[in-house]
Amino acid sequence: MSIVAGDTWTRAEDRSVVGALRKTATTLAATAGFSSVRTEEMAIAVSEAVSNLVKHATEGTVLLRAHPESAAAIEFVAIDKGPGISDFAQVLRDGHSTVGTLGIGLGAMSRLASRHDVYSVPGKGTVLTMHFWADGASPPPLRSSGLTRPIGEETVCGDSFAAVETGTGTTVVLCDGLGHGYLAAEASREAMRVFRQMPDLAPAEILERVHRGLGHTRGGAIAIARVGRDEVSFAGLGNVAGWIVHGPQRQGMVSLPGIAGHHGRRPRQFEYPLPAGASVVLHSDGLTSRWNPATMPGLFARSPSVISATLLREAGSRRDDACVVTVKAAS
């Protein structure tokens, strides 16, 4: 099971962050059991990516963390609002140089990463994700990924999420602790603790137990989805959003009004058909619900980590904690 509350983002503004993130990569690699060779390969890829952000990006930010789906893997996410990449075939050639973001060394980075994915729109910017795992380790399924970001300059995020693979699909929970700061984070962490005790229950049953379990906290908004092969079971309470995205279309899922831990209707569970190739997206109100998949052509064919990062960039607000999670339908 993965639980994430409070990702640490780094602004790619000067050369000093290259060395700092290289050191972070080395520390994470030791924890994940990487060999010295694999550690150096990841350090090179991370250094190259961050260097390019510092040189060329507009509002470049980087996240480097233990992988949400595997303790033996590491995830790198880079987001910018730079000029974007118009010709991937060209920038993937070794030695190619460009004034656009992530041009130099992208071919080498793609080889050094166990998996990588890129989404770029000219004039809007680029999202790059790289995943690394230890030699001989089982690769993570890469079916779900989520991101959190605290309000303004805060270091603590009141939003969190967790995901677990069960026999019936992927079950994901998102909690937006009421307000922000430490008390909001305490509420969302408690929601994750309760979820961790019974991830195999139906979403409505999990929500009922989380609702009871948050009574001693300030409470929060909760969304729970079980994503199977051709169906989504969903239960929500409060101002959280759940969407099924297929091509340029999206369908909202019903969340009842209330605050988990304090007041709200009896949880209800709704079932929705899930088209082949669709994505399920949950997010807190730190992202506006006005985003439109039709304005982001090709995004929802990308990996869950790229989808979540792009939505955070396009729809996220700096005036509130933010959390977004994407789950792909089982194949």
Side-chain angles (χ1 to χ4, degrees):
M1 175 186 293
S2 62
I3 296 178
V4 176
D7 289 322
T8 301
W9 293 88
T10 301
R11 293 178 180 174
E13 295 178 338
D14 59 66
R15 292 285 305 174
S16 65
V17 302
V18 179
L21 285 167
R22 185 185 178 99
K23 184 176 180 181
T24 299
T26 301
T27 301
L28 288 170
T31 302
F34 284 25
S35 68
S36 58
V37 172
R38 191 69 184 123
T39 297
E40 181 61 20
E41 289 174 344
M42 184 181 72
I44 291 170
V46 168
S47 298
E48 186 67 36
V50 178
S51 294
N52 278 288
L53 283 172
V54 171
K55 291 175 185 176
H56 307 297
T58 302
E59 298 182 35
T61 54
V62 174
L63 172 66
L64 187 60
R65 65 181 181 181
H67 199 284
E69 293 178 306
S70 171
I74 296 167
E75 182 175 50
F76 173 91
V77 181
I79 302 173
D80 76 70
K81 293 184 178 180
I85 301 171
S86 58
D87 188 341
F88 278 102
Q90 185 179 35
V91 299
L92 282 170
R93 292 202 306 269
D94 288 337
H96 175 73
S97 177
T98 176
V99 295
T101 305
L102 300 172
I104 306 169
L106 186 57
M109 284 185 277
S110 68
R111 290 194 303 274
L112 292 170
S114 303
R115 294 285 188 277
H116 78 285
D117 197 15
V118 182
Y119 180 73
S120 188
V121 177
K124 285 195 171 183
T126 300
V127 170
L128 166 70
T129 65
M130 295 188 290
H131 302 95
F132 306 86
W133 47 81
D135 299 317
S138 298
L142 303 181
R143 280 196 57 215
S144 65
S145 185
L147 298 167
T148 66
R149 187 178 66 192
I151 184 174
E153 301 301 319
E154 286 276 359
T155 58
V156 175
C157 185
D159 295 358
S160 60
F161 75 90
V164 60
E165 294 287 336
T166 65
T168 54
T170 301
T171 303
V172 60
V173 57
L174 182 152
C175 179
D176 177 356
L178 193 64
H180 56 85
Y182 286 98
L183 293 179
E186 178 186 43
S188 65
R189 282 196 298 266
E190 179 64 11
M192 300 305 112
R193 186 192 69 80
V194 175
F195 169 64
R196 188 165 56 237
Q197 296 175 345
M198 72 284 292
D200 293 325
L201 294 181
E205 295 178 88
I206 297 172
L207 181 54
E208 177 64 36
R209 298 198 185 191
V210 171
H211 181 46
R212 294 200 304 265
L214 293 189
H216 66 286
T217 74
R218 62 167 52 176
I222 306 285
I224 302 169
R226 175 159 295 141
V227 183
R229 188 179 303 277
D230 53 16
E231 186 176 69
V232 182
S233 301
F234 180 83
L237 183 62
N239 192 13
V240 285
W243 306 97
I244 298 170
V245 185
H246 186 232
Q249 305 297 322
R250 68 175 188 172
Q251 176 186 1
M253 297 185 285
V254 175
S255 180
L256 302 178
I259 300 173
H262 295 281
H263 59 82
R265 303 178 189 175
R266 182 177 179 82
R268 288 185 59 192
Q269 183 169 309
F270 299 89
E271 312 294 335
Y272 300 90
L274 186 63
S279 300
V280 174
V281 176
L282 309 181
H283 64 76
S284 67
D285 64 354
L287 280 76
T288 175
S289 290
R290 293 192 296 271
W291 57 270
N292 182 353
T295 66
M296 295 175 274
L299 173 63
F300 289 89
R302 311 312 307 174
S303 63
S305 56
V306 163
I307 294 170
S308 292
T310 303
L311 289 175
L312 184 63
R313 183 188 67 188
E314 294 299 309
S317 169
R318 286 291 185 180
R319 296 187 296 274
D320 198 358
D321 294 330
C323 181
V324 54
V325 188
T326 302
V327 184
K328 287 284 192 176
S331 57

